[in-house]
Amino acid sequence: MKKLINNPGDIVNELVEGFLFVNKGKVKKIDNLNVVARIEAPVKGQVGIVIGGGAGHEPLFLEYIGRNMADVIVHGNIFAAPPPKAILEGIKSANGDAGVILLYNNYSGDVFNFDIAQDLARKEGILVDTVLINDDVSSAPLEFMDDRRGTTADHIVIKIAGAAAQSGMDFKSIKKLLKKAVYNSRSLGVCLSACSLPETGIATFTLEEGKMEFGMGLHGEAGIKRVDLMTADQTVKVILDLLMEDLPFKKGDEVIAVVNGYGSTTRMEMFIVIRGINFYLKEKGITVYSAEVGEFCTSQEMAGVSITLIKLDDEIKKYYDISADSPGYKKFQ
Amino acid sequence: MKKLINNPGDIVNELVEGFLFVNKGKVKKIDNLNVVARIEAPVKGQVGIVIGGGAGHEPLFLEYIGRNMADVIVHGNIFAAPPPKAILEGIKSANGDAGVILLYNNYSGDVFNFDIAQDLARKEGILVDTVLINDDVSSAPLEFMDDRRGTTADHIVIKIAGAAAQSGMDFKSIKKLLKKAVYNSRSLGVCLSACSLPETGIATFTLEEGKMEFGMGLHGEAGIKRVDLMTADQTVKVILDLLMEDLPFKKGDEVIAVVNGYGSTTRMEMFIVIRGINFYLKEKGITVYSAEVGEFCTSQEMAGVSITLIKLDDEIKKYYDISADSPGYKKFQ
């Protein structure tokens, strides 16, 4: 796969430079470690929200800092966790002396580096704690839920975190709210083609023409089943059958439904998929409070979609409803 | 290329159904002809803005109706102009007795059908006129500018049209403003891979691995040159050299710069491209008032980008700056 880049070794730096240029006046680079903060951060007396992870999934994470979104993003190399030193700078940049929450996807490399940075920050007297996102039901069975990867619930959870923090909610309450929002989020993806590493152009896995794979990871991790290409409606049924029983979602529940495109999927396909979701959930007596389609968390040029369901209660809904303005996600109230 | 669809013959209807579901309460379907209006349309005393064209380029045109965007979208089949009957319904649905402007891309099929509808509407006593978008510099030389195709300036021109109309600007003044905005817009694209027709999965053209083509159309129309893959910075130079001399853009000018992804291009690449544009324009003494990157006008899973420059004056800037809320384009003031 050919990419429009310059020197492969410069991809992440140049991507961040372009991002800073487009969002001039709204974001600021903190140092030479690819730490970027919204222009207002840190806000004295407000809990700081730090997000981050490997690059290559844009708009996640880079583009989710802003008004009622995260304060600081710490950016690693392509598909690689950011170093502890950068994360520590990120924590300091978000610290308004009301505590800092690290909110990121559950991958061992990220957890290892974020935990080191968290320890270092605590030694410096900063109140800091972690909420891991682990919404991918395919990556471990329910009884090992803590081992599950984070995936496409991210932008909604970040939105709720940012809205709560910028509304003045305290450290403990935000942690509790985010743990609930993560617990209520379940996702599963399907791909129709592989993704490649942009530095080399080499695919991370192979998928024969006419096949699709359920449950693959964002970096080409193996999925749970490979089958002949199904229709959009059949695909929706396979995914929602799994998501429904996992929480479980029940008749009378109210949810946000997200269709995420992984890269080369058209919005045309995403709308056809969400149409199928509507019919499925209606039949199950579940109310879709809000439906979102778009590329929220991508995996380079991978074709396919993930579906995320997030069960709502009044508290989650309140912070979801607040308007948000970040480069990668905007919502009017 | 495999797509996540149901019956290929149902693509457009199901896409519109999904769109209506996601945007419930904000948009309404007018009839069975895939005409969709923002919920407030028509607004008495305001000029109506009708956009439209073939499907398959989402978010263009379908998702650009809303607050300070267009009033009505008339949707054709994939890559095919909508029928006159649907366009006539669209005109009526946008008619608040202050005139209706048809704003769409310059393709012969569209012009033919929109003109028939315009004549029919005039016979019914509706004040209606047309502004064609023709920003693609590759599709005809400057002396035959009227033959040029419309392409990726669309969402900006639609935004300006909607903001002006919803601010109460009169029919004649909007027409003048839009003609100026279109004249000031120049675009050129480059692709790294072809696109396919979603009904059949068959590519509309072929492009060998390691090659790129400048100036191809949104439906696979032949470009102006095919070359070995260049770096992002080299590509930016080829495109901007052509755009600069075409208007021409001059030292001291202020512009909006848009990088549009055609489908499978990553935002990573778009940011690297806009970074190159920044350096190029800075050296030429041109000020980038606003830079936008995203998928605004796609061509299925085609890889590549287009660059659009729009020269600003105070009037264009005023209507560009106003906030906008449509499913496919949101802007906070």
Side-chain angles (χ1 to χ4, degrees):
Chain A
M1 184 66 198
K2 301 165 288 185
K3 296 276 175 199
L4 206 50
I5 55 173
N6 295 305
N7 182 349
D10 296 334
I11 288 177
V12 175
N13 286 341
E14 292 188 358
L15 144 66
V16 173
E17 276 180 47
F19 174 76
L20 293 168
F21 170 64
V22 168
N23 298 292
K24 219 170 8 186
K26 293 179 184 165
V27 301
K28 56 187 174 189
K29 192 157 191 275
I30 297 300
D31 56 11
N32 290 317
L33 298 159
N34 285 330
V35 180
V36 188
R38 68 185 182 105
I39 203 82
E40 300 85 358
V43 180
K44 191 83 188 166
Q46 269 182 17
V47 173
I49 306 292
V50 175
I51 57 173
H57 302 297
E58 290 70 29
L60 186 79
F61 287 91
L62 183 60
E63 303 187 58
Y64 292 147
I65 52 173
R67 191 165 57 75
N68 292 321
M69 297 290 284
D71 293 290
V72 172
I73 147 81
V74 189
H75 215 233
N77 280 323
I78 302 287
F79 295 177
K85 193 181 160 195
I87 302 167
L88 180 62
E89 279 311 307
I91 294 170
K92 289 179 184 172
S93 313
N95 181 26
D97 294 327
V100 173
I101 288 172
L102 310 182
L103 182 64
Y104 59 96
N105 280 335
N106 187 28
Y107 291 92
S108 53
D110 290 290
V111 173
F112 191 81
N113 288 359
F114 272 87
D115 276 355
I116 293 173
Q118 179 171 267
D119 286 346
L120 294 170
R122 284 176 177 163
K123 277 186 193 139
E124 297 192 25
I126 302 173
L127 176 66
V128 51
D129 216 335
T130 295
V131 176
L132 289 172
I133 304 176
N134 62 341
D135 53 312
D136 185 352
V137 306
S138 74
S139 49
L142 191 56
E143 56 269 35
F144 300 106
M145 204 179 150
D146 288 349
D147 294 338
R148 286 181 173 174
R149 300 182 293 238
T151 178
T152 54
D154 287 359
H155 77 282
I156 304 281
V157 177
I158 294 167
K159 197 247 159 283
I160 290 165
Q166 293 178 37
S167 299
M169 187 184 271
D170 69 86
F171 185 70
K172 266 194 172 169
S173 306
I174 295 184
K175 254 180 58 187
K176 212 175 138 194
L177 168 64
L178 295 183
K179 285 196 170 175
K180 179 173 65 179
V182 170
Y183 186 83
N184 284 5
S185 302
R186 308 292 157 119
S187 304
L188 184 68
V190 64
C191 68
L192 285 73
S193 75
C195 64
S196 63
L197 287 170
E199 298 96 330
T200 59
I202 295 170
T204 57
F205 63 109
T206 55
L207 185 60
E208 314 86 74
E209 182 73 22
K211 296 280 178 188
M212 62 201 296
E213 181 162 328
F214 287 92
M216 75 299 144
L218 290 172
H219 316 93
E221 295 93 336
I224 49 175
K225 67 175 172 181
R226 190 171 285 200
V227 299
D228 290 339
L229 187 64
M230 297 177 179
T231 67
D233 286 350
Q234 288 164 345
T235 305
V236 164
K237 186 175 175 347
V238 169
I239 294 177
L240 287 186
D241 280 351
L242 283 163
L243 296 187
M244 287 290 291
E245 69 172 12
D246 197 84
L247 186 62
F249 294 89
K250 290 193 291 272
K251 191 174 171 168
D253 282 351
E254 209 175 13
V255 300
I256 300 169
V258 179
V259 175
N260 173 69
Y262 281 121
S264 60
T265 312
T266 56
R267 292 180 70 84
M268 178 192 88
E269 292 164 276
M270 294 181 221
F271 281 121
I272 293 173
V273 169
I274 198 96
R275 172 189 172 274
I277 294 173
N278 177 28
F279 290 128
Y280 180 105
L281 292 179
K282 199 177 245 174
E283 205 184 280
K284 301 280 182 190
I286 289 173
T287 305
V288 178
Y289 177 72
S290 173
E292 298 194 0
V293 308
E295 291 183 351
F296 302 109
C297 167
T298 63
S299 191
Q300 296 294 313
E301 75 284 4
M302 189 158 82
V305 297
S306 63
I307 300 176
T308 299
L309 294 184
I310 301 167
K311 184 179 162 179
L312 292 173
D313 63 12
D314 289 345
E315 191 189 30
I316 298 176
K317 203 190 280 186
K318 174 180 169 188
Y319 293 105
Y320 174 73
D321 279 348
I322 294 175
S323 74
D325 186 12
S326 70
Y329 182 77
K330 294 186 202 311
K331 184 180 193 307
F332 283 87
Q333 192 150 16
Chain B
M1 185 63 198
K2 301 165 288 185
K3 296 277 177 200
L4 205 50
I5 55 173
N6 295 305
N7 182 349
D10 295 334
I11 289 177
V12 175
N13 285 342
E14 292 189 356
L15 144 67
V16 173
E17 275 180 47
F19 175 76
L20 293 168
F21 170 63
V22 169
N23 298 291
K24 218 170 7 184
K26 294 179 184 165
V27 301
K28 56 188 173 188
K29 194 157 192 278
I30 297 302
D31 56 12
N32 290 318
L33 298 159
N34 285 330
V35 180
V36 187
R38 68 185 182 104
I39 202 83
E40 300 85 357
V43 179
K44 191 85 188 164
Q46 271 182 15
V47 174
I49 307 291
V50 175
I51 57 174
H57 303 296
E58 291 69 30
L60 186 78
F61 286 91
L62 181 60
E63 301 187 58
Y64 292 147
I65 51 174
R67 190 165 57 75
N68 291 322
M69 297 290 284
D71 293 289
V72 172
I73 147 82
V74 189
H75 216 233
N77 281 323
I78 302 287
F79 296 176
K85 193 179 161 197
I87 302 167
L88 180 61
E89 278 311 306
I91 295 171
K92 289 179 184 172
S93 312
N95 181 27
D97 295 326
V100 174
I101 289 172
L102 310 181
L103 182 63
Y104 59 95
N105 279 335
N106 187 30
Y107 291 93
S108 53
D110 290 292
V111 173
F112 191 80
N113 288 1
F114 272 88
D115 275 355
I116 293 173
Q118 178 171 267
D119 286 347
L120 294 170
R122 283 176 178 164
K123 275 185 194 141
E124 296 191 25
I126 301 172
L127 177 65
V128 53
D129 216 335
T130 295
V131 176
L132 289 172
I133 304 176
N134 62 341
D135 54 310
D136 184 351
V137 306
S138 74
S139 50
L142 191 55
E143 57 269 34
F144 299 106
M145 204 178 150
D146 288 350
D147 294 337
R148 286 181 174 175
R149 301 183 292 239
T151 178
T152 54
D154 287 359
H155 77 282
I156 304 281
V157 177
I158 293 166
K159 198 246 158 281
I160 290 164
Q166 293 178 36
S167 300
M169 187 184 271
D170 69 86
F171 185 70
K172 267 194 172 166
S173 305
I174 295 185
K175 254 179 58 188
K176 212 175 137 193
L177 168 63
L178 295 182
K179 286 197 169 174
K180 180 174 66 179
V182 170
Y183 185 84
N184 284 7
S185 302
R186 307 293 157 119
S187 303
L188 184 66
V190 64
C191 68
L192 283 74
S193 76
C195 64
S196 63
L197 288 170
E199 297 96 332
T200 59
I202 295 169
T204 57
F205 63 108
T206 56
L207 185 59
E208 315 87 73
E209 181 73 20
K211 296 279 178 189
M212 61 201 297
E213 182 163 327
F214 287 92
M216 76 297 146
L218 289 173
H219 316 93
E221 296 93 335
I224 49 175
K225 66 174 172 182
R226 190 171 285 202
V227 299
D228 290 338
L229 186 64
M230 296 177 181
T231 67
D233 286 350
Q234 288 165 345
T235 305
V236 164
K237 187 176 175 348
V238 169
I239 293 177
L240 287 186
D241 280 352
L242 284 164
L243 295 187
M244 286 290 291
E245 69 172 15
D246 197 84
L247 185 62
F249 294 89
K250 289 194 291 270
K251 191 174 171 167
D253 282 351
E254 210 174 12
V255 300
I256 300 168
V258 179
V259 174
N260 173 69
Y262 281 121
S264 60
T265 312
T266 56
R267 292 180 69 86
M268 179 191 88
E269 293 165 275
M270 295 180 220
F271 281 122
I272 293 173
V273 168
I274 198 94
R275 172 189 172 275
I277 293 173
N278 177 28
F279 290 128
Y280 181 105
L281 293 179
K282 198 177 247 177
E283 204 184 282
K284 301 281 184 193
I286 289 173
T287 304
V288 178
Y289 177 72
S290 175
E292 297 193 2
V293 308
E295 290 184 352
F296 302 109
C297 167
T298 62
S299 191
Q300 296 294 313
E301 75 285 3
M302 189 157 82
V305 297
S306 63
I307 299 175
T308 298
L309 293 184
I310 300 168
K311 185 180 160 178
L312 293 172
D313 63 12
D314 289 344
E315 191 189 28
I316 298 176
K317 203 190 282 186
K318 175 181 169 187
Y319 294 105
Y320 173 73
D321 279 347
I322 294 175
S323 75
D325 186 10
S326 69
Y329 182 77
K330 294 187 201 312
K331 185 180 193 305
F332 283 88
Q333 194 150 15

